[in-house]
Amino acid sequence: MNKFIMNNMPKVYFGEGALKTVLENEIDKIGKKVMLAYGGGSIKNAGIYDEVMTLLHKYDKEVYEFSGIMSNPTYFKVQEGAELVKENGIEFIIAVGGGSVIDCCKIISAQAKTDRDIWTMEFEDKQYPTEFIPMAAVVTASGTGAEMNNGAVITNEDLKIKAGMLGALAQFSVLDPTYTLTVPLKQVISGAFDTFSHAMETYFGKPLENNVSNEINETIMRNTIRNMHAVMKDPTDLNARSELMWDSAMAENGILKLGKVTDFQAHQIEHQLGAYTNCNHGQGLAIIHPILYKHIYKEGLIKFVRYAKEVWGIKDTQLSDEEIALEGIQRLSDFIIEMQLPTALSEIGITDKDMLKKVADSTNIMPGCCKQLTHEEIYDILLECL
């Protein structure tokens, strides 16, 4: 394993009714003026909005609503939220939703505490925020693990860049699996595949030799596969949704990454694809992963063989290592089809090869990938994804 420093993760309240417990325990840490941030009307239709507002009003909080956060949050939306916080002297932010809402609020939290442009600060000056408006995350759609870390993915529409930024870490996170019962099955599966992708991208990072983080990761991947099957069979299976919610948290709370340099090359490709097309994140990852892995498995053969054996249960001793690795990638492809996720960009309406060249040329190349790709190779991968 590589050297590492471990920080504490956010305090987590998990289980049915967790929000009420949170506010009873944490209310003294929440200022008088609260920004309630969310996406569209789904939290209102599900009754989550009323639940949150009732509890905040019970404790005499002055609530400012910030809605309309999109599935790929934009830098413009970040600035809009930060301005609302500054103008009204907001003391605490509660993000209610999935990863997009939580990510947006992480950067709002940071931008509201500085007059500097935070995009320029992070990407050009290579400086990162140290002061934040305190915030909490209430998860309604799991998969991203956004509630467990200070990373955020934001789209700068002017620059056509969708990239990771660093912002606030939630003081506490609420994971109530019953909230996910209001989420359509297609969205649940897409989010769960994002969880699976996070685990795989960490697993295939360096070093390639096995370690305890990888063995924990194998368990998370197997659990995610099993419970995705369970939710597909019965969308009302609350136990399966609970497992997937905690799989998501485990995949991004840092535990699987200890001693690792993570990969995340598939995410970098999909992020830029999203910057140009606004495509669904989990669906984009499902299309990219098998093609990417066919391009890099030889350089990471030892790990791809173990992945095939430990995650997909391939035990055929007559196969060569290369055949075992390829069978593992095929099992991944078959699983994606089983989960009714797309397997080609054309299935989600993406066919423009010139645009894909721009995506490839602007994709960030990660140091943790077992094979260092070029922009030309990324373009080849995207063309194969058509």
Side-chain angles (χ1 to χ4, degrees), residues 192 195-196 219-228 244 247:
T195 294
F196 192 46
T219 301
I220 297 299
M221 286 190 279
R222 290 193 298 266
N223 189 277
T224 302
I225 292 166
R226 182 170 66 251
N227 284 290
M228 285 177 72
L244 289 174
D247 285 331

Side-chain angles (χ1 to χ4, degrees), residues 126-343:
K126 306 300 181 184
Q127 296 178 354
Y128 300 94
T130 57
E131 293 185 87
F132 310 96
I133 301 294
M135 67 169 284
V138 179
V139 181
T140 61
S142 65
T144 69
E147 69 279 6
M148 302 305 295
N149 57 55
N150 68 334
V153 180
I154 303 297
T155 300
N156 189 316
E157 293 179 300
D158 291 339
L159 301 177
K160 285 288 185 184
I161 295 175
K162 180 179 176 182
M165 303 183 72
L166 294 180
L169 183 71
Q171 288 194 355
F172 53 86
S173 295
V174 180
L175 282 74
D176 185 336
T178 63
Y179 289 170
T180 73
L181 290 170
T182 66
V183 178
L185 179 61
K186 187 175 181 179
Q187 187 177 342
V188 172
I189 294 300
S190 176
F193 191 83
D194 188 20
T195 294
F196 192 46
S197 173
H198 289 160
M200 289 190 293
E201 300 242 63
T202 300
Y203 189 75
F204 289 115
K206 297 173 183 176
L208 294 178
E209 294 77 21
N210 198 44
N211 56 46
V212 65
S213 297
N214 288 337
E215 292 192 20
I216 298 169
N217 196 331
E218 288 162 0
T219 301
I220 297 299
M221 286 190 279
R222 290 193 298 266
N223 189 277
T224 302
I225 292 166
R226 182 170 66 251
N227 284 290
M228 285 177 72
H229 276 128
V231 168
M232 282 292 285
K233 183 178 180 181
D234 179 8
T236 66
D237 187 337
L238 184 58
N239 183 66
R241 285 175 179 257
S242 299
E243 294 282 302
L244 289 174
M245 183 171 250
W246 190 243
D247 285 331
S248 172
M250 281 292 294
E252 278 300 313
N253 64 11
I255 288 175
L256 305 187
K257 300 177 183 180
L258 295 175
K260 301 275 293 183
V261 176
T262 57
D263 178 358
F264 281 83
Q265 190 60 71
H267 266 72
Q268 296 302 313
I269 297 171
E270 198 289 325
H271 285 168
Q272 276 310 97
L273 189 66
Y276 278 84
T277 68
N278 200 34
C279 69
N280 177 276
H281 181 53
Q283 292 182 7
L285 290 170
I287 294 165
I288 292 166
H289 263 292
I291 304 299
L292 171 65
Y293 286 169
K294 287 176 184 177
H295 275 254
I296 68 173
Y297 79 91
K298 290 182 181 179
E299 284 74 16
L301 189 59
I302 184 175
K303 184 51 61 67
F304 276 93
V305 169
R306 184 175 174 94
Y307 167 77
K309 291 179 177 179
E310 299 300 327
V311 177
W312 296 110
I314 298 168
K315 304 297 183 186
D316 192 337
T317 57
Q318 304 303 309
L319 298 176
S320 67
D321 282 354
E322 187 168 333
E323 288 171 328
I324 291 171
L326 285 170
E327 180 60 23
I329 297 170
Q330 185 59 50
R331 295 283 182 91
L332 172 62
S333 296
D334 294 343
F335 175 66
I336 288 167
I337 293 170
E338 279 185 84
M339 294 298 104
Q340 299 176 19
L341 289 163
T343 59

